[in-house]
Structure formats: structure tokens, C-alpha cells
Amino acid sequence: MKLPLFPLQSVFYPGETVPLHIFEDRYKQLIHDCRREALTFGIPVYINNSISYGTEVQLVEVVNTYESGEMDVVCVARQIFKVLSFEQQLEGKLYAGGDVAFLETENDADENLRAEVLQKVEELYDIMDVPFTKTSPKQFNSYSLAHKMGLSFEQEYELLLMTKETDRLNFIKAHLEATTHVLHKVNRTKEVIEMNGHFKNFDLLDFKDFKL
């Protein structure tokens, strides 16, 4: 399938709301074409000076249009794809495009794993003293909070390429376990530092037990 392509140094997951500020002429043209022809377009992830995978998105709303022609738009992310070819300009257009193949994904995770990962997300938020909105495991998936658990850009991209929900959740679970372990150590170090200089009570030692 051929899609208009809008490469960005960002990762978007299926179901995610994608707000974009459009200011380049080629992408103004793209948004106009999307409105007129109900097109979808792809956002390949620009990483390591290349594009290989990305997410198809669909225009939902043009929120603002400025005198300059710039726009604030809202899109929704749909399917993940692999880039098969890339053209700097599609014929008769200012914007890029290319052939893509959509990845087959498998929602194979059970509710117990979702509940376990969700509990670890809540633990992370609790350590960081950040408000957490309770969510049912049935409504939770690997993409729900992927941008809100401290994954690096590279880790977010790695998650995007995983086609099985079980693999994605286990990847997130391992990240959360490592992160909470570090944060517990940081908090312990902070407590030790704050104690430094305070008066302390020590247990008296029985010198009779000392040996040279």
C-alpha cells in the first residue's frame, strides 16, 4: 500500500491521539488532501538517521488555522507498518510517500499479566508521588501508558516493533521492575544523606565481649 509519509522523531502507538502543528507547505498540502480525499498518512519514526517503521494516522480535526496557513490538527494513530520504499515527493505533490506493509499484531496477553503490569505502573507512580488514575485490567493494554512510564525514545521504538501483546507487556514489566528498584535505592540514598549531621542514638556496646 502506498501512503503519504510525514517522518518525525517521535513514536506513536495505535489508538493514540496525535496532535500536530503544521507549518511547512508540503504538509499543509497533505492535510488539505486528507480533508478533501479522506486520506490516511504515515508517520515513520526517524531514528539512527533512517526510517524503517512507523504508524498510520487518520486526520480527525483541524483545531486552528492561522493567517499564515499554519494549522493545529488532531489525528488518531491506527496501524503499525514497515517502510518498503520512500520517495522524496509523490507525483504531483510536495510531500513524500512510499510503499508500506502493515504488521500483523497478536493480542495474546491474559488478564493476569495485564493486572500485574498495571500494578507495577501504579507502584512506580506511588514512588514518584504522582497521581494515578485507577484503570481496569480489561481496559489496559501495553500502549495505554507507554509514554508515561519513563521509557527512552529507543525503548519506545523497540516496543513499537513488537507484534505480540505478551512480549510488549513483559518488556514493560522488566522496565518497571528495573526502574522501581533504582528509585528505591535513590530514595534510600536520599534518606541517608538527610540523616547526615543529625544527632543519633547508638546502642551501647559491652566491652567484655571485645577480643584483640
Side-chain angles (χ1 to χ4, degrees), residues 18 20 22 30-36 38-41 57-63 71-76 78:
V18 182
L20 297 170
I22 307 298
L30 172 59
I31 295 302
H32 287 309
D33 287 351
C34 287
R35 295 180 79 178
R36 185 172 59 251
L39 296 177
T40 61
F41 61 97
V57 301
Q58 182 174 16
L59 178 67
V60 174
E61 182 183 9
V62 176
V63 179
M71 290 174 277
D72 295 324
V73 305
V74 173
C75 304
V76 63
R78 295 174 44 162

Coordinates of all heavy atoms in Angstrom, one line a residue, residues 18 20 22 30-36 38-41 57-63 71-76 78:
V18 N -2.9 12.0 18.3 CA -1.6 12.6 17.8 C -1.9 14.1 17.4 O -2.5 14.4 16.4 CB -1.2 11.9 16.5 CG1 0.2 12.5 16.0 CG2 -1.0 10.4 16.8
L20 N -0.6 17.7 16.1 CA 0.5 18.1 15.2 C 0.3 19.6 14.9 O -0.8 20.1 14.7 CB 0.5 17.3 13.9 CG 0.8 15.8 14.0 CD1 0.6 15.2 12.6 CD2 2.2 15.5 14.5
I22 N 1.2 22.1 12.0 CA 1.6 22.0 10.6 C 2.0 23.4 10.1 O 1.2 24.3 10.2 CB 0.4 21.5 9.7 CG1 -0.1 20.2 10.3 CG2 0.8 21.4 8.3 CD1 0.8 19.1 10.3
L30 N -0.6 18.3 2.4 CA -1.0 16.9 2.8 C -2.3 17.0 3.7 O -3.2 16.2 3.4 CB 0.1 16.3 3.7 CG -0.2 15.0 4.4 CD1 -0.6 13.9 3.4 CD2 1.0 14.5 5.2
I31 N -2.4 17.9 4.6 CA -3.6 18.0 5.4 C -4.8 18.4 4.6 O -5.9 17.8 4.7 CB -3.4 19.0 6.6 CG1 -2.3 18.5 7.5 CG2 -4.7 19.2 7.3 CD1 -2.6 17.1 8.1
H32 N -4.6 19.3 3.6 CA -5.7 19.6 2.7 C -6.2 18.4 1.9 O -7.4 18.2 1.7 CB -5.3 20.8 1.8 CG -5.2 22.1 2.4 ND1 -6.2 22.6 3.2 CD2 -4.2 23.0 2.4 CE1 -5.8 23.8 3.6 NE2 -4.6 24.1 3.2
D33 N -5.3 17.6 1.4 CA -5.6 16.4 0.7 C -6.3 15.4 1.6 O -7.3 14.7 1.2 CB -4.3 15.8 0.1 CG -3.8 16.6 -1.1 OD1 -4.5 17.5 -1.5 OD2 -2.7 16.2 -1.5
C34 N -5.9 15.3 2.8 CA -6.5 14.4 3.8 C -8.0 14.8 4.0 O -8.9 13.9 4.1 CB -5.8 14.3 5.1 SG -4.2 13.5 5.0
R35 N -8.2 16.1 4.1 CA -9.6 16.6 4.4 C -10.5 16.3 3.1 O -11.6 15.9 3.2 CB -9.6 18.1 4.7 CG -8.9 18.4 6.0 CD -8.9 19.9 6.3 NE -10.1 20.4 6.8 CZ -10.4 21.6 7.2 NH1 -9.4 22.5 7.1 NH2 -11.6 22.0 7.6
R36 N -9.9 16.6 2.0 CA -10.7 16.5 0.7 C -10.9 15.1 0.3 O -12.0 14.7 -0.2 CB -10.0 17.3 -0.4 CG -10.7 17.4 -1.7 CD -10.1 18.3 -2.7 NE -8.7 17.9 -3.0 CZ -7.6 18.5 -2.6 NH1 -7.7 19.6 -1.9 NH2 -6.4 18.0 -3.0
A38 N -10.2 12.2 2.3 CA -10.3 11.2 3.4 C -9.1 10.3 3.4 O -9.2 9.1 3.6 CB -11.6 10.4 3.3
L39 N -7.9 10.8 3.1 CA -6.7 10.0 3.1 C -6.2 9.8 4.5 O -6.4 10.6 5.4 CB -5.5 10.8 2.3 CG -5.7 11.0 0.8 CD1 -4.5 11.9 0.3 CD2 -5.8 9.7 0.0
T40 N -5.5 8.7 4.7 CA -4.6 8.5 5.9 C -3.2 8.7 5.4 O -2.9 8.7 4.2 CB -4.8 7.1 6.4 OG1 -4.4 6.1 5.5 CG2 -6.2 6.8 6.9
F41 N -2.3 9.0 6.4 CA -0.9 9.1 6.1 C -0.1 8.4 7.1 O -0.6 8.0 8.2 CB -0.5 10.6 5.9 CG -0.7 11.4 7.1 CD1 0.4 11.7 8.0 CD2 -1.9 12.0 7.4 CE1 0.3 12.5 9.1 CE2 -2.0 12.8 8.5 CZ -1.0 13.1 9.4
V57 N -1.7 7.2 10.5 CA -2.6 8.0 11.3 C -3.8 8.6 10.4 O -3.6 8.7 9.2 CB -1.9 9.2 11.9 CG1 -0.8 8.7 12.9 CG2 -1.3 10.1 10.9
Q58 N -4.8 8.9 11.0 CA -6.0 9.5 10.3 C -6.3 10.8 10.9 O -6.4 11.0 12.1 CB -7.2 8.5 10.5 CG -8.5 9.0 9.7 CD -9.6 8.0 9.8 OE1 -9.5 7.0 10.6 NE2 -10.5 8.1 8.9
L59 N -6.5 11.8 10.0 CA -6.9 13.2 10.5 C -8.3 13.1 11.1 O -9.3 12.6 10.5 CB -6.9 14.1 9.3 CG -7.4 15.6 9.6 CD1 -6.3 16.3 10.5 CD2 -7.6 16.3 8.3
V60 N -8.4 13.7 12.3 CA -9.7 13.8 13.0 C -10.3 15.2 12.9 O -11.5 15.4 12.7 CB -9.6 13.3 14.5 CG1 -10.9 13.5 15.2 CG2 -9.1 11.9 14.6
E61 N -9.4 16.2 13.2 CA -9.9 17.5 13.3 C -8.8 18.6 13.0 O -7.7 18.4 13.4 CB -10.5 17.8 14.7 CG -11.1 19.1 14.9 CD -11.6 19.3 16.4 OE1 -11.3 18.4 17.2 OE2 -12.2 20.3 16.6
V62 N -9.2 19.6 12.3 CA -8.3 20.8 12.2 C -8.8 21.8 13.3 O -9.8 22.3 13.2 CB -8.4 21.5 10.8 CG1 -7.5 22.7 10.8 CG2 -7.9 20.5 9.8
V63 N -8.0 21.9 14.4 CA -8.4 22.7 15.5 C -8.3 24.2 15.3 O -9.2 25.0 15.6 CB -7.6 22.3 16.8 CG1 -8.0 23.1 18.0 CG2 -7.7 20.8 17.0
M71 N -1.4 25.3 10.8 CA -2.6 24.6 11.4 C -2.2 23.8 12.6 O -1.1 23.3 12.7 CB -3.2 23.7 10.4 CG -3.9 24.3 9.2 SD -4.5 23.1 8.0 CE -3.0 22.8 7.0
D72 N -3.1 23.7 13.5 CA -3.1 22.7 14.6 C -4.1 21.7 14.3 O -5.3 22.0 14.1 CB -3.4 23.4 16.0 CG -2.4 24.4 16.4 OD1 -1.2 24.3 16.1 OD2 -2.8 25.5 17.0
V73 N -3.6 20.4 14.2 CA -4.5 19.3 13.8 C -4.4 18.2 14.8 O -3.4 18.1 15.6 CB -4.2 18.8 12.4 CG1 -4.2 19.9 11.4 CG2 -2.9 18.1 12.4
V74 N -5.5 17.4 14.9 CA -5.5 16.3 15.8 C -5.8 15.1 14.9 O -6.7 15.0 14.1 CB -6.6 16.4 16.8 CG1 -6.7 15.1 17.6 CG2 -6.3 17.5 17.8
C75 N -4.9 14.0 15.1 CA -5.1 12.8 14.3 C -5.2 11.6 15.3 O -4.9 11.8 16.5 CB -3.9 12.5 13.4 SG -3.5 13.9 12.3
V76 N -5.6 10.5 14.9 CA -5.5 9.3 15.7 C -4.7 8.2 15.0 O -4.8 8.0 13.8 CB -7.0 8.8 16.0 CG1 -7.7 8.3 14.7 CG2 -7.0 7.6 17.0
R78 N -3.3 4.6 14.0 CA -4.1 3.3 13.6 C -3.1 2.1 13.6 O -2.9 1.5 14.6 CB -4.8 3.5 12.3 CG -5.9 4.6 12.4 CD -6.5 4.9 11.0 NE -6.8 3.7 10.2 CZ -7.7 3.7 9.2 NH1 -8.3 4.8 8.9 NH2 -7.9 2.6 8.5

